[in-house]
Amino acid sequence: MSYSVFTQKERNVITLILLILLGAVIAFAVRGIIGALLGTMVMYTIFRPMNIWLVEKLKWQRPLAAVTIIVLSFLIIVLPFLGIGTMLTNKIVNLIKNPDWIKNTVDTINAYAGDKLGKPDLIREQLEKSATYFGGMFTSLLSGAASLFLDITVMYFLLYFLFVNFRSFERGLLRYSPFKVENAIRFGHELRNITYSNVIGQTFIALVQGGTLALGFWMFGFQDALFWGVICAILSFVPLLGPPLIFVPAAVYAFTQGENWAAIGLLIYGFVVVINIDNVLRLVIAKRVGDIHPIITVVGVIIGIPLFGMMGLVYGPLLLSYFLIMVRIYEANKREGDLH
């Protein structure tokens, strides 16, 4: 009769080591599509209620429900991003074709700063300070845009099978979770609320701020109101800091052109109306869904853009929020272990 040289405990340890090693290899292999995996989690969380409604309430076939959600999400989420990317690209191309406009603007502001502030090289100094940072950020955004097609393809491929097999997928998550079922469900609700708050809530805030700033540009006679409203919506994912990056330079430029009332009006409108939209809506969203502290959002954006490109505006704060929730899960498990 044959026998094993290992005890049951030793076999369990060896199996665990092999699982960890294989998991590390797989994690290394999928490092290039981590954005797609995170996007899959976000999209599944957002559209899960619709999938359940279509399958269990309306009795749709699961593949049909999955395809319907994928097409709908593509129209609602992906196409606007592609449109924004096209708009930005066209604007950059136009600026490259017309470098005199940039030179004249810089010279005008330098002359104004030299006359009013005693700093004739104001723009040059500020450009030198910020060129490295924004250059690196812009490069990250472009590199992220280059891999966006692959991420979208992988994300929707995974989403289809998750929606078709959503019940078995969720049972598997509960089965292999490292904590009790009630804790898993409770923290799952927190993950859902944080996702809703960061993705849907922050997107809503960004759209309102962008639209409000575009309205302000139009009211005070500034050009390209729609374009700068779109840029403001993108930058609004950085709380408080984003919109002033648009309306403050625009006001400064208006001052240099002698349009003082328009500049003053835009500054007041920006700081009183546009900025406070973020404060008011964030409080409403925090009460109804969940709260993400502005510091987490700012740090998350700084972390996310080098990792995920443009999608880092969303994924960065979300990833940091998930990390903080995992810390809380660990603390809860540790307290329960201490009690026993």
Side-chain angles (χ1 to χ4, degrees):
M1 182 175 179
S2 61
Y3 63 93
S4 175
V5 296
F6 299 107
T7 66
Q8 183 61 37
K9 183 178 180 180
E10 290 171 338
R11 284 197 293 269
N12 290 340
V13 171
I14 292 173
T15 302
L16 180 60
I17 292 174
L18 291 175
L19 283 174
I20 293 173
L21 290 175
L22 288 174
V25 172
I26 293 173
F28 179 78
V30 301
R31 69 192 186 280
I33 58 170
I34 187 67
L37 300 178
L38 189 56
T40 302
M41 179 187 298
V42 172
M43 296 286 281
Y44 181 83
T45 302
I46 292 174
F47 289 99
R48 175 182 178 272
M50 178 182 288
N51 187 52
I52 293 175
W53 181 68
L54 292 175
V55 172
E56 298 186 352
K57 298 294 183 181
L58 299 186
K59 305 301 181 182
W60 285 26
Q61 294 294 321
R62 294 189 178 192
L64 176 60
V67 171
T68 300
I69 292 173
I70 287 172
V71 172
L72 183 63
S73 67
F74 186 84
L75 294 175
I76 294 175
I77 298 174
V78 177
L79 284 183
F81 273 102
L82 294 178
I84 291 172
T86 302
M87 180 185 292
L88 292 176
T89 302
N90 292 337
K91 192 66 176 180
I92 292 171
V93 170
N94 290 334
L95 289 177
I96 292 175
K97 290 181 178 179
N98 187 23
D100 291 338
W101 180 86
I102 300 176
K103 182 178 182 301
N104 293 336
T105 300
V106 172
D107 291 342
T108 301
I109 296 177
N110 275 337
Y112 180 84
D115 182 44
K116 303 292 185 181
L117 306 176
K119 281 189 164 290
D121 295 324
L122 177 66
I123 294 298
R124 183 181 60 81
E125 293 174 1
Q126 296 304 316
L127 287 177
E128 288 177 353
K129 292 178 182 178
S130 60
T132 302
Y133 174 76
F134 284 103
M137 179 180 290
F138 186 69
T139 301
S140 299
L141 292 176
L142 290 180
S143 64
S147 63
L148 190 59
F149 178 78
L150 175 62
D151 286 346
I152 292 173
T153 303
V154 173
M155 179 185 71
Y156 278 129
F157 177 80
L158 295 175
L159 268 178
Y160 174 81
F161 290 102
L162 289 184
F163 282 138
V164 170
N165 304 286
F166 67 99
R167 288 303 181 193
S168 59
F169 168 67
E170 292 176 5
R171 284 195 299 268
L173 288 179
L174 289 176
R175 180 179 180 182
Y176 293 106
S177 64
F179 31 85
K180 293 182 178 180
V181 174
E182 56 268 25
N183 285 341
I185 295 174
R186 179 163 59 89
F187 286 113
H189 289 160
E190 290 193 27
L191 286 172
R192 179 198 63 191
N193 291 339
I194 287 294
T195 302
Y196 284 177
S197 176
N198 190 76
V199 178
I200 299 178
Q202 185 58 47
T203 300
F204 179 70
I205 292 173
L207 290 175
V208 174
Q209 281 193 306
T212 305
L213 185 64
L215 178 62
F217 267 59
W218 175 76
M219 287 191 306
F220 295 107
F222 289 81
Q223 296 181 349
D224 294 327
L226 178 61
F227 173 79
W228 292 113
V230 171
I231 300 300
C232 176
I234 296 173
L235 294 179
S236 292
F237 280 90
V238 184
L240 302 179
L241 303 177
L245 293 176
I246 302 298
F247 66 76
V248 171
V252 171
Y253 180 74
F255 274 123
T256 66
Q257 301 300 307
E259 301 172 0
N260 295 340
W261 287 113
I264 293 172
L266 183 63
L267 286 175
I268 295 174
Y269 180 83
F271 283 111
V272 174
V273 178
V274 178
I275 291 295
N276 283 301
I277 286 174
D278 183 284
N279 299 328
V280 174
L281 292 182
R282 195 174 294 277
L283 288 175
V284 174
I285 292 169
K287 289 181 179 179
R288 292 182 175 271
V289 184
D291 185 24
I292 295 183
H293 196 280
I295 293 178
I296 294 177
T297 304
V298 173
V299 175
V301 167
I302 295 173
I303 295 172
I305 287 179
L307 288 175
F308 306 112
M310 184 175 292
M311 294 308 299
L313 293 170
V314 176
Y315 291 165
L318 204 56
L319 197 61
L320 189 56
S321 299
Y322 289 167
F323 171 77
L324 295 176
I325 289 180
M326 291 305 298
V327 171
R328 293 175 54 195
I329 293 174
Y330 171 78
E331 290 177 346
N333 285 344
K334 191 172 185 299
R335 282 196 301 267
E336 290 184 1
D338 293 339
L339 292 177
H340 293 84

